[in-house]
Structure formats: C-alpha cells, structure tokens
Amino acid sequence: MNAHAIWTPESPNQVLIGDNLPLLTQLPSQSFQLIYIDPPFNTGKVQRRQTLKTVYAPGGSHIGFQGKSYQTLKGMVTAYRDDFEDYWAFLEPRLTQAWRLLTPTGTLYLHLDYHEVHYAKVLLDALFGRDCFLNEIIWAYDYGARSKRKWPAKHDNILVYVKDPQHYYFDSQSVDREPYMAPGLVTPEKAARGKLPTDVWWHTIVSPTGKEKTGYATQKPLGILRRIVQASSADGDWILDFFAGSGTTGAAAAELGRRFVLVDNNPEAISVMRSRFAAYQPPVEFRSIEPSSLQPPA
C-alpha cells in the first residue's frame, strides 16, 4: 500500500477514525459500488421553518434541475432554508464527495426523516441529475411515543440516487422477501416464497431488549441494511458508510460477502464497533487518522 494512502482496494475491511470530510477527500474516485449514509437528521430546528413559504424567488424552484450548476443551487437553497444554513453547509460537501466516490454503476442511499428530506432531494437532483433519482424509500415502523395533536410520525425516508441512470446495478431477485399481507389471496407457493419489497418497507426498529441491540442510540436494523446491500451491490464489492454509528452497514456487508469502509469520529460509535466486530475474521482494521498525516486533495 502507498505509504500515504489511507485506503486501497487491497485493504482489509476497516473503520477510519476521524472527521469524515477530510478523510473522504483522500479516497480514490469511483471506488465504491454502494454508499449508504445516515447523517444527523437536524430535528432540533422544526420551529424555525415557518418563514420558508415567504422567501422563494420567482422561478427559483427550477434552478439547477436541467443542468449541473451546483453553486447556483446552493444559493437558492440558502435563500429558502434560512436557519438551516449550517446543516446544509455541513452535509453538502460530503454529498459532493459521495458522488465522486461512486463507481459508474454505483448507488447512493441517503437516510433522513421528514425534517430535511425535501431539501436533500433538491440538492441531489442538482448534484446527480433529476434523471438519476431512482426511488424514495419509506421505512415505516410502529414503535415509540404517540402525539395526540397530529398524526404520529412513524417513518424515515431513504433517497436513492444512481451515478448513471442507464447503467446501474440493481438485483431485486437477491433481496430478502416479505410475507404477503393477505396470503390467502395468492397461491400457497407464492405465499411460502413471499413477495418482493416495494418502496414502502415495513420493518420494526431495533428492539431495546433484543439480541441485535448494541446500545447505540441511533442504531438501524440489520434487516434494512441487508436489503440495501443485496439490491445494490454484488459479492466482493466495496461499500462505504461515512456516518457509521453502530456499524450496521459493515455488519450487513460482511454477512453478505461484501467489503466495507466505515468512517466515524464519535468515541461511543468507535467503542460499539470495536465490540461488534471483535470476532470478525479476517479482522476489521481500526485506523485513527491524524489530520496532519493527510495529503492535500488532488
């Protein structure tokens, strides 16, 4: 391995410890078949959204949709998102790196909730192109507190974008099937086999008392990540998650014969992943990357 490289396709499965943006700039372009990220949802700023309806510029909602003028879109997003500027200044360059790092047949899954998903779609439409939008997956669950003043929010949104809308990898036949909701309406053979998932996924959260629970607050279910990995990567492909958290992306990748790079700098996340991956063979490499050791981006 190059003495200055933090990763090459010959590397072992690894967890890189550090700020994800400078680390992403060190990874070679077009290296990852699948990128899944579950960034912070920015849920603490809901009350500041009321000004959004009054600040659209005439015709502004279409800027960037037909071209790739990313700077122009950024200005538009800044104009109407008002108090969300810091959040998008944080996420925007990381999404730019995700586009660069995807293989030509690769897919990005961006996991958010209702607070920010509409802004993300505008941004990704400009960055990837509207024709590269593949799906918005609704992950629906039924657990937790219930509001009596509105319909309780019990779903997350996962935006799916491909690098090339004409040549991307998608294998629906390899995905874990679901039981039919009305098995009596299909043949016994179909009921036994189950059905292919749609863009609405009914899946419970990680049980607070279940075996899968790692103790990490925002842990996502292994079943959700298995489905993503099965559909959008093949055996031996490299997968990247640069908001790794509890490491579920890596667990799903290893279980399905894929290779992975995870990035996080939260000490709690690193501790959980060290414990979770302790028995993996071959061993998962944990590397703490000092900013001073990084090379200037190419």
Side-chain angles (χ1 to χ4, degrees):
M1 183 187 301
N2 185 310
H4 298 300
I6 65 171
W7 174 88
T8 73
E10 291 73 41
S11 298
N13 291 332
Q14 55 182 224
V15 177
L16 302 178
I17 306 169
D19 181 2
N20 57 19
L21 183 56
L23 293 181
L24 293 175
T25 67
Q26 304 295 298
L27 298 173
S29 297
Q30 301 187 5
S31 294
F32 296 91
Q33 174 61 31
L34 168 61
I35 298 177
Y36 167 88
I37 52 173
D38 175 23
F41 285 0
N42 198 25
T43 58
K45 301 180 180 179
V46 181
Q47 72 279 10
R48 299 180 185 177
R49 275 192 197 182
Q50 296 174 348
T51 60
L52 294 178
K53 294 181 180 179
T54 64
V55 296
Y56 285 99
S61 61
H62 297 294
I63 295 175
F65 284 172
Q66 300 301 323
K68 299 283 185 173
S69 183
Y70 191 69
Q71 292 77 14
T72 301
L73 177 75
K74 180 179 178 181
M76 184 190 72
V77 172
T78 301
Y80 73 67
R81 58 185 164 78
D82 196 16
D83 291 308
F84 297 93
E85 182 172 359
D86 288 345
Y87 181 75
W88 286 102
F90 166 77
L91 196 55
E92 176 190 61
R94 289 159 173 81
L95 293 176
T96 303
Q97 288 296 319
W99 184 91
R100 180 183 67 82
L101 292 170
L102 280 175
T103 65
T105 60
T107 306
L108 168 71
Y109 286 75
L110 174 60
H111 190 149
L112 294 168
D113 74 357
Y114 67 92
H115 292 95
E116 302 297 338
V117 67
H118 42 302
Y119 303 106
K121 189 172 188 308
V122 173
L123 190 63
L124 289 172
D125 277 348
L127 178 59
F128 279 71
R130 293 185 77 181
D131 57 342
C132 293
F133 171 71
L134 192 66
N135 280 112
E136 179 175 6
I137 295 167
I138 303 299
W139 167 35
Y141 42 84
D142 191 19
Y143 189 87
R146 296 190 178 278
S147 172
K148 295 183 178 179
R149 303 186 62 187
K150 63 178 182 178
W151 302 112
K154 296 297 176 186
H155 78 275
D156 286 358
N157 308 66
I158 305 174
L159 297 178
V160 186
Y161 280 77
V162 295
K163 191 78 170 278
D164 183 340
Q166 302 302 319
H167 303 94
Y168 60 91
Y169 183 89
F170 188 79
D171 181 8
S172 63
Q173 297 303 311
S174 294
V175 172
D176 293 336
R177 289 175 173 256
E178 298 178 330
Y180 281 93
M181 296 184 71
L185 299 180
V186 299
T187 65
E189 293 77 15
K190 283 189 174 182
R193 187 169 66 249
K195 69 181 182 70
L196 291 174
T198 67
D199 61 356
V200 178
W201 297 358
W202 292 91
H203 195 294
T204 184
I205 66 168
V206 177
S207 170
T209 58
K211 291 177 61 178
E212 190 178 329
K213 187 70 174 177
T214 65
Y216 196 76
T218 58
Q219 180 183 354
K220 298 303 183 290
L222 184 62
I224 295 294
L225 270 299
R226 275 181 56 90
R227 185 172 292 175
I228 290 170
V229 170
Q230 288 167 330
S232 296
S233 68
D235 187 58
D237 281 342
W238 278 101
I239 295 172
L240 173 65
D241 181 347
F242 52 86
F243 290 98
S246 66
T248 302
T249 301
E255 186 177 294
L256 295 167
R258 278 62 158 174
R259 297 176 291 175
F260 64 85
V261 174
L262 308 180
V263 185
D264 213 301
N265 65 353
N266 181 343
E268 181 185 357
I270 301 305
S271 176
V272 166
M273 285 190 282
R274 285 189 186 278
S275 176
R276 191 173 195 176
F277 299 149
Y280 276 38
Q281 292 297 329
V284 177
E285 181 179 78
F286 284 74
R287 298 183 61 199
S288 183
I289 309 295
E290 295 299 326
S292 59
S293 68
L294 300 178
Q295 300 299 301

